[in-house]
Coordinates of all heavy atoms in Angstrom, one line a residue:
M1 N 0.8 -1.2 0.0 CA 0.0 0.0 0.0 C 0.9 1.3 0.0 O 0.6 2.2 -0.7 CB -0.9 0.0 1.3 CG -2.3 0.2 1.2 SD -3.3 0.3 -0.3 CE -4.3 -1.1 -0.1
H2 N 1.9 1.3 0.8 CA 2.8 2.5 0.9 C 3.5 2.8 -0.4 O 3.9 3.8 -0.6 CB 3.8 2.3 2.0 CG 3.2 2.1 3.3 ND1 3.6 2.8 4.5 CD2 2.2 1.3 3.8 CE1 2.8 2.5 5.5 NE2 2.0 1.6 5.1
K3 N 3.7 1.7 -1.2 CA 4.4 1.9 -2.5 C 3.7 2.9 -3.4 O 4.3 3.5 -4.2 CB 4.6 0.6 -3.2 CG 5.5 -0.4 -2.5 CD 5.6 -1.7 -3.1 CE 6.4 -2.6 -2.3 NZ 6.4 -4.0 -2.8
V4 N 2.4 3.1 -3.2 CA 1.7 4.0 -4.0 C 2.0 5.5 -3.6 O 1.9 6.4 -4.4 CB 0.1 3.8 -3.9 CG1 -0.7 4.8 -4.6 CG2 -0.2 2.4 -4.4
I5 N 2.3 5.6 -2.3 CA 2.6 6.9 -1.8 C 4.2 7.1 -1.9 O 4.9 6.5 -1.1 CB 2.2 7.0 -0.3 CG1 0.7 6.7 -0.2 CG2 2.4 8.5 0.2 CD1 0.2 6.6 1.3
N6 N 4.6 8.0 -2.8 CA 6.0 8.2 -2.9 C 6.2 9.7 -3.3 O 5.2 10.4 -3.4 CB 6.6 7.3 -4.0 CG 5.9 7.4 -5.3 OD1 5.7 8.5 -5.9 ND2 5.5 6.3 -5.9
S7 N 7.4 10.1 -3.5 CA 7.7 11.5 -3.7 C 7.0 12.0 -5.0 O 6.5 13.2 -5.0 CB 9.2 11.8 -3.8 OG 9.8 11.0 -4.8
Q8 N 6.9 11.2 -6.0 CA 6.2 11.6 -7.2 C 4.7 11.8 -7.0 O 4.1 12.8 -7.5 CB 6.4 10.6 -8.3 CG 5.8 11.0 -9.7 CD 6.4 12.3 -10.2 OE1 7.6 12.5 -10.1 NE2 5.6 13.1 -10.8
T9 N 4.0 10.9 -6.3 CA 2.6 11.0 -6.2 C 2.3 12.2 -5.2 O 1.3 12.9 -5.4 CB 2.0 9.7 -5.6 OG1 2.6 9.3 -4.4 CG2 2.0 8.6 -6.7
I10 N 3.2 12.4 -4.2 CA 3.0 13.5 -3.3 C 3.2 14.8 -4.0 O 2.4 15.8 -3.8 CB 3.9 13.4 -2.1 CG1 3.6 12.1 -1.3 CG2 3.8 14.6 -1.2 CD1 2.2 12.0 -0.7
A11 N 4.2 14.9 -4.9 CA 4.5 16.1 -5.7 C 3.3 16.5 -6.6 O 3.1 17.7 -6.9 CB 5.7 15.9 -6.5
N12 N 2.4 15.5 -6.9 CA 1.3 15.8 -7.7 C 0.1 16.4 -7.0 O -0.8 16.9 -7.6 CB 0.8 14.6 -8.5 CG 1.7 14.1 -9.5 OD1 2.4 14.9 -10.1 ND2 1.8 12.8 -9.8
L13 N 0.2 16.4 -5.6 CA -0.8 17.0 -4.8 C -0.5 18.5 -4.6 O 0.7 18.9 -4.5 CB -0.9 16.3 -3.5 CG -1.2 14.8 -3.5 CD1 -1.0 14.2 -2.1 CD2 -2.6 14.6 -3.9
S14 N -1.5 19.3 -4.5 CA -1.3 20.7 -4.3 C -0.7 20.9 -2.9 O -1.0 20.2 -1.9 CB -2.6 21.5 -4.4 OG -3.4 21.3 -3.3
D15 N 0.1 22.0 -2.8 CA 0.6 22.3 -1.5 C -0.5 22.6 -0.4 O -0.3 22.2 0.7 CB 1.5 23.6 -1.6 CG 2.8 23.3 -2.3 OD1 3.2 22.1 -2.5 OD2 3.4 24.3 -2.8
A16 N -1.6 23.2 -0.9 CA -2.7 23.5 0.0 C -3.3 22.2 0.5 O -3.6 22.1 1.7 CB -3.7 24.4 -0.7
W17 N -3.5 21.2 -0.4 CA -4.1 19.9 0.0 C -3.2 19.3 1.1 O -3.7 18.8 2.1 CB -4.2 19.0 -1.2 CG -5.0 17.8 -0.9 CD1 -6.4 17.6 -1.0 CD2 -4.5 16.6 -0.3 NE1 -6.7 16.3 -0.6 CE2 -5.6 15.7 -0.1 CE3 -3.3 16.1 0.1 CZ2 -5.5 14.4 0.4 CZ3 -3.1 14.8 0.6 CH2 -4.2 14.0 0.8
V18 N -1.9 19.2 0.8 CA -0.9 18.6 1.8 C -1.0 19.3 3.1 O -1.1 18.6 4.1 CB 0.5 18.5 1.2 CG1 1.5 18.1 2.2 CG2 0.6 17.6 -0.1
K19 N -1.0 20.6 3.1 CA -1.0 21.4 4.3 C -2.3 21.1 5.1 O -2.3 20.8 6.3 CB -0.9 22.9 4.0 CG -1.0 23.8 5.2 CD -1.0 25.2 4.8 CE -1.3 26.1 5.9 NZ -2.6 26.7 5.9
D20 N -3.4 21.1 4.4 CA -4.8 20.9 5.0 C -4.8 19.4 5.5 O -5.3 19.2 6.6 CB -5.9 21.1 4.0 CG -6.1 22.6 3.7 OD1 -5.5 23.4 4.4 OD2 -6.8 22.8 2.7
F21 N -4.3 18.5 4.8 CA -4.3 17.1 5.2 C -3.5 16.9 6.4 O -3.9 16.2 7.4 CB -3.9 16.1 4.1 CG -4.2 14.7 4.3 CD1 -5.5 14.3 4.1 CD2 -3.3 13.8 4.7 CE1 -5.9 13.0 4.4 CE2 -3.7 12.5 5.0 CZ -5.0 12.1 4.8
K22 N -2.3 17.5 6.5 CA -1.4 17.3 7.6 C -2.1 17.9 8.9 O -2.1 17.3 10.0 CB -0.1 18.1 7.4 CG 0.9 17.4 6.5 CD 2.1 18.3 6.4 CE 3.1 17.7 5.4 NZ 4.3 18.6 5.3
Q23 N -2.8 19.0 8.7 CA -3.5 19.6 9.8 C -4.6 18.7 10.3 O -4.9 18.6 11.5 CB -4.0 21.0 9.5 CG -4.6 21.8 10.6 CD -3.5 22.1 11.7 OE1 -2.4 22.5 11.4 NE2 -3.8 21.8 12.9
A24 N -5.3 18.1 9.4 CA -6.4 17.2 9.7 C -5.9 16.0 10.5 O -6.5 15.5 11.4 CB -7.2 16.8 8.5
I25 N -4.7 15.5 10.1 CA -4.1 14.4 10.7 C -3.8 14.8 12.2 O -4.1 14.1 13.1 CB -2.9 13.9 10.0 CG1 -3.3 13.2 8.7 CG2 -2.1 12.9 10.9 CD1 -2.1 12.9 7.8
V26 N -3.1 15.9 12.3 CA -2.7 16.4 13.7 C -3.9 16.5 14.6 O -3.9 16.2 15.7 CB -1.9 17.7 13.6 CG1 -1.7 18.3 14.9 CG2 -0.6 17.5 12.9
N27 N -5.0 17.0 14.0 CA -6.3 17.2 14.8 C -7.1 15.9 14.9 O -8.2 16.0 15.5 CB -7.1 18.3 14.1 CG -6.4 19.7 14.3 OD1 -5.6 19.9 15.1 ND2 -6.7 20.6 13.3
A28 N -6.7 14.9 14.2 CA -7.5 13.6 14.1 C -8.9 13.9 13.7 O -9.9 13.4 14.2 CB -7.5 12.9 15.5
D29 N -9.0 14.8 12.7 CA -10.3 15.3 12.2 C -10.7 14.4 11.0 O -10.4 14.6 9.8 CB -10.1 16.7 11.7 CG -11.4 17.3 11.2 OD1 -12.4 16.6 11.0 OD2 -11.4 18.5 10.9
S30 N -11.4 13.3 11.3 CA -11.8 12.3 10.3 C -12.7 12.9 9.2 O -12.7 12.4 8.1 CB -12.4 11.1 11.0 OG -13.6 11.4 11.6
V31 N -13.5 13.9 9.6 CA -14.5 14.4 8.6 C -13.6 15.1 7.5 O -13.9 15.0 6.3 CB -15.5 15.4 9.3 CG1 -16.3 16.1 8.2 CG2 -16.4 14.6 10.2
T32 N -12.7 15.9 7.9 CA -11.8 16.7 7.0 C -10.9 15.7 6.2 O -10.8 15.9 5.0 CB -11.0 17.7 7.7 OG1 -11.9 18.6 8.4 CG2 -10.1 18.5 6.7
I33 N -10.4 14.7 6.9 CA -9.6 13.7 6.2 C -10.4 13.1 5.1 O -10.0 13.0 3.9 CB -9.1 12.6 7.2 CG1 -8.0 13.2 8.1 CG2 -8.5 11.4 6.4 CD1 -7.6 12.4 9.2
D34 N -11.6 12.6 5.3 CA -12.5 12.0 4.4 C -12.8 13.0 3.2 O -12.8 12.6 2.0 CB -13.8 11.5 5.0 CG -13.6 10.3 5.9 OD1 -12.5 9.7 5.8 OD2 -14.5 10.0 6.6
S35 N -13.1 14.2 3.6 CA -13.4 15.2 2.5 C -12.2 15.5 1.6 O -12.3 15.6 0.4 CB -13.8 16.5 3.2 OG -13.9 17.6 2.3
L36 N -11.0 15.5 2.2 CA -9.8 15.7 1.4 C -9.5 14.5 0.5 O -9.1 14.7 -0.6 CB -8.6 16.1 2.3 CG -8.7 17.5 2.9 CD1 -7.7 17.6 4.1 CD2 -8.4 18.5 1.9
L37 N -9.7 13.4 1.0 CA -9.5 12.2 0.2 C -10.5 12.1 -1.0 O -10.1 11.7 -2.1 CB -9.6 10.9 1.0 CG -8.5 10.6 2.0 CD1 -8.8 9.5 2.9 CD2 -7.2 10.5 1.3
E38 N -11.7 12.6 -0.8 CA -12.7 12.6 -1.8 C -12.2 13.5 -3.0 O -12.4 13.3 -4.1 CB -14.0 13.2 -1.3 CG -14.8 12.1 -0.6 CD -15.3 11.0 -1.5 OE1 -15.7 11.2 -2.6 OE2 -15.2 9.8 -1.0
K39 N -11.5 14.6 -2.6 CA -11.0 15.6 -3.6 C -9.9 14.9 -4.6 O -9.8 15.4 -5.7 CB -10.4 16.8 -2.9 CG -11.4 17.7 -2.3 CD -10.8 18.9 -1.6 CE -11.8 19.8 -1.0 NZ -11.2 20.9 -0.4
I40 N -9.2 14.0 -4.1 CA -8.2 13.4 -4.9 C -8.6 12.0 -5.5 O -7.9 11.5 -6.4 CB -6.8 13.2 -4.2 CG1 -6.9 12.2 -3.0 CG2 -6.3 14.6 -3.7 CD1 -5.6 11.8 -2.5
K41 N -9.7 11.5 -5.0 CA -10.1 10.1 -5.4 C -10.3 10.0 -7.0 O -9.9 9.0 -7.5 CB -11.4 9.7 -4.7 CG -11.8 8.3 -4.9 CD -12.9 7.9 -4.0 CE -14.2 8.5 -4.5 NZ -15.4 8.1 -3.7
D42 N -10.9 11.0 -7.6 CA -11.1 10.8 -9.1 C -9.8 10.8 -9.9 O -9.7 10.1 -10.8 CB -12.1 12.0 -9.5 CG -13.5 11.8 -9.1 OD1 -13.8 10.6 -8.7 OD2 -14.2 12.8 -9.0
N43 N -8.9 11.7 -9.5 CA -7.7 11.8 -10.3 C -6.6 10.8 -9.9 O -5.8 10.4 -10.7 CB -7.0 13.2 -10.1 CG -7.8 14.3 -10.8 OD1 -8.5 14.0 -11.7 ND2 -7.8 15.5 -10.2
N44 N -6.7 10.3 -8.7 CA -5.7 9.3 -8.2 C -6.3 8.4 -7.2 O -6.0 8.4 -6.0 CB -4.5 10.0 -7.6 CG -3.3 9.1 -7.6 OD1 -3.4 7.9 -7.5 ND2 -2.1 9.8 -7.7
P45 N -7.1 7.4 -7.7 CA -7.8 6.5 -6.8 C -6.9 5.6 -6.0 O -7.2 5.3 -4.8 CB -8.8 5.7 -7.7 CG -8.2 5.9 -9.1 CD -7.5 7.2 -9.1
D46 N -5.8 5.2 -6.6 CA -4.9 4.3 -5.9 C -4.3 5.0 -4.7 O -4.1 4.5 -3.6 CB -3.8 3.8 -6.8 CG -4.4 2.8 -7.8 OD1 -5.4 2.2 -7.6 OD2 -3.7 2.7 -8.9
L47 N -3.9 6.3 -4.9 CA -3.3 7.1 -3.8 C -4.3 7.3 -2.7 O -4.0 7.2 -1.5 CB -2.7 8.4 -4.3 CG -2.1 9.4 -3.3 CD1 -1.0 8.7 -2.6 CD2 -1.7 10.7 -4.0
A48 N -5.5 7.7 -3.1 CA -6.6 8.0 -2.1 C -6.9 6.7 -1.3 O -7.0 6.8 -0.1 CB -7.9 8.4 -2.8
R49 N -6.9 5.6 -1.9 CA -7.1 4.3 -1.3 C -6.0 4.0 -0.3 O -6.2 3.5 0.8 CB -7.3 3.2 -2.3 CG -7.8 1.9 -1.7 CD -8.2 0.8 -2.8 NE -7.6 1.0 -4.1 CZ -8.2 1.5 -5.2 NH1 -9.5 1.9 -5.1 NH2 -7.6 1.6 -6.3
A50 N -4.7 4.2 -0.7 CA -3.6 3.9 0.1 C -3.6 4.8 1.4 O -3.3 4.3 2.5 CB -2.3 4.1 -0.7
I51 N -3.9 6.1 1.2 CA -3.9 7.0 2.3 C -5.1 6.6 3.2 O -5.0 6.6 4.5 CB -4.0 8.5 1.8 CG1 -2.8 8.9 1.1 CG2 -4.3 9.4 3.0 CD1 -2.8 10.2 0.4
Y52 N -6.2 6.3 2.6 CA -7.4 5.9 3.4 C -7.0 4.7 4.3 O -7.4 4.7 5.5 CB -8.6 5.6 2.5 CG -9.8 5.1 3.3 CD1 -10.6 6.0 3.9 CD2 -10.1 3.7 3.3 CE1 -11.7 5.5 4.6 CE2 -11.2 3.3 4.0 CZ -12.0 4.2 4.7 OH -13.1 3.8 5.4
H53 N -6.4 3.7 3.7 CA -6.0 2.5 4.5 C -5.1 2.9 5.7 O -5.3 2.4 6.8 CB -5.2 1.6 3.5 CG -4.7 0.4 4.2 ND1 -5.4 -0.7 4.6 CD2 -3.4 0.1 4.6 CE1 -4.7 -1.6 5.2 NE2 -3.5 -1.2 5.2
L54 N -4.2 3.8 5.5 CA -3.3 4.2 6.6 C -4.1 5.0 7.7 O -3.9 4.8 8.9 CB -2.2 5.1 6.1 CG -1.1 4.4 5.3 CD1 -0.2 5.4 4.7 CD2 -0.4 3.4 6.1
T55 N -5.1 5.8 7.2 CA -5.9 6.5 8.2 C -6.8 5.6 9.0 O -7.0 5.7 10.2 CB -6.7 7.6 7.6 OG1 -7.7 7.1 6.7 CG2 -5.9 8.7 7.0
E56 N -7.3 4.6 8.3 CA -8.2 3.6 9.0 C -7.4 2.8 10.1 O -8.0 2.3 11.0 CB -8.8 2.6 8.0 CG -10.0 3.2 7.2 CD -11.1 3.6 8.1 OE1 -11.8 2.8 8.7 OE2 -11.4 4.9 8.2
N57 N -6.1 2.6 9.9 CA -5.3 1.9 10.8 C -4.6 2.9 11.8 O -3.7 2.4 12.5 CB -4.3 1.0 10.1 CG -5.0 -0.1 9.4 OD1 -5.7 -0.9 10.0 ND2 -4.7 -0.3 8.1
F58 N -5.0 4.1 11.8 CA -4.5 5.1 12.7 C -2.9 5.3 12.5 O -2.2 5.5 13.5 CB -4.8 4.8 14.1 CG -6.3 4.7 14.3 CD1 -6.9 3.5 14.4 CD2 -7.1 5.9 14.4 CE1 -8.3 3.3 14.6 CE2 -8.5 5.7 14.6 CZ -9.1 4.5 14.7
E59 N -2.5 5.1 11.3 CA -1.0 5.3 11.1 C -0.7 6.7 10.7 O -0.1 7.0 9.6 CB -0.6 4.3 10.0 CG -0.8 2.8 10.4 CD -0.2 1.9 9.3 OE1 0.9 2.1 8.9 OE2 -1.0 1.0 9.0
Y60 N -1.1 7.6 11.6 CA -0.9 9.0 11.4 C 0.6 9.4 11.3 O 1.0 10.3 10.4 CB -1.6 9.9 12.4 CG -3.1 9.6 12.5 CD1 -3.8 9.3 13.6 CD2 -3.9 9.7 11.3 CE1 -5.1 9.0 13.7 CE2 -5.2 9.5 11.3 CZ -5.9 9.1 12.5 OH -7.2 8.9 12.5
E61 N 1.4 8.9 12.1 CA 2.9 9.2 12.1 C 3.4 8.8 10.7 O 4.2 9.5 10.1 CB 3.6 8.5 13.2 CG 3.3 9.2 14.6 CD 3.8 10.6 14.7 OE1 4.9 10.9 14.1 OE2 3.1 11.4 15.3
T62 N 3.1 7.6 10.3 CA 3.5 7.2 9.0 C 3.1 8.1 7.9 O 3.9 8.5 7.0 CB 3.0 5.8 8.7 OG1 3.4 4.9 9.7 CG2 3.4 5.2 7.3
L63 N 1.8 8.6 7.9 CA 1.4 9.5 6.9 C 2.1 10.8 7.0 O 2.5 11.3 5.9 CB -0.1 9.8 7.1 CG -1.1 8.8 6.5 CD1 -2.5 9.0 7.0 CD2 -1.0 8.9 5.0
L64 N 2.3 11.3 8.1 CA 3.0 12.6 8.2 C 4.5 12.4 7.7 O 4.9 13.3 7.0 CB 3.1 13.1 9.7 CG 1.8 13.5 10.3 CD1 1.9 13.8 11.8 CD2 1.3 14.8 9.5
D65 N 5.1 11.3 8.0 CA 6.4 11.1 7.4 C 6.4 11.0 5.9 O 7.3 11.6 5.2 CB 7.0 9.8 8.0 CG 7.4 9.9 9.5 OD1 7.5 11.0 10.0 OD2 7.6 8.8 10.1
L66 N 5.4 10.4 5.3 CA 5.3 10.2 3.9 C 5.0 11.5 3.2 O 5.4 11.8 2.1 CB 4.2 9.2 3.6 CG 4.6 7.7 3.9 CD1 3.3 6.9 3.8 CD2 5.7 7.2 3.0
L67 N 4.3 12.4 3.9 CA 3.9 13.7 3.3 C 5.0 14.8 3.5 O 4.9 15.9 2.9 CB 2.6 14.2 3.9 CG 1.4 13.4 3.6 CD1 0.2 13.8 4.5 CD2 1.1 13.5 2.1
E68 N 6.1 14.5 4.2 CA 7.2 15.4 4.3 C 8.0 15.6 3.1 O 8.1 14.8 2.2 CB 8.1 15.0 5.4 CG 7.5 15.2 6.8 CD 7.0 16.6 7.1 OE1 7.8 17.6 6.8 OE2 5.9 16.8 7.7

């Protein structure tokens, strides 16, 4: 699952999306996390699914590391 999340796929996300997603993770704001994932689902369903999997398993530290 993590193989889908790499520097190239992260680079394709807007800076604003990454910033908002990081903040949602820090706040454990599942509503915002889901909303942000919906925004990328159409253009990159594999990435959205991989990130969703990590959030469902509460792997927030892993996500923050991957988004750096």
Side-chain angles (χ1 to χ4, degrees):
M1 227 15 111
H2 299 227
K3 293 177 184 172
V4 175
I5 307 170
N6 58 50
S7 59
Q8 183 62 39
T9 56
I10 298 302
N12 290 331
L13 299 171
S14 73
D15 291 341
W17 188 94
V18 171
K19 178 181 171 257
D20 291 345
F21 195 77
K22 285 180 183 177
Q23 190 62 49
I25 291 170
V26 169
N27 293 334
D29 182 351
S30 62
V31 172
T32 300
I33 288 170
D34 289 346
S35 173
L36 288 165
L37 288 174
E38 283 295 317
K39 290 181 180 181
I40 66 167
K41 189 171 74 174
D42 288 339
N43 291 331
N44 200 332
D46 292 335
L47 178 61
R49 191 173 21 260
I51 294 172
Y52 177 79
H53 175 74
L54 291 172
T55 61
E56 284 297 295
N57 290 307
F58 304 102
E59 295 185 50
Y60 299 128
E61 288 296 322
T62 301
L63 273 169
L64 289 173
D65 290 342
L66 290 167
L67 292 170
E68 288 300 318

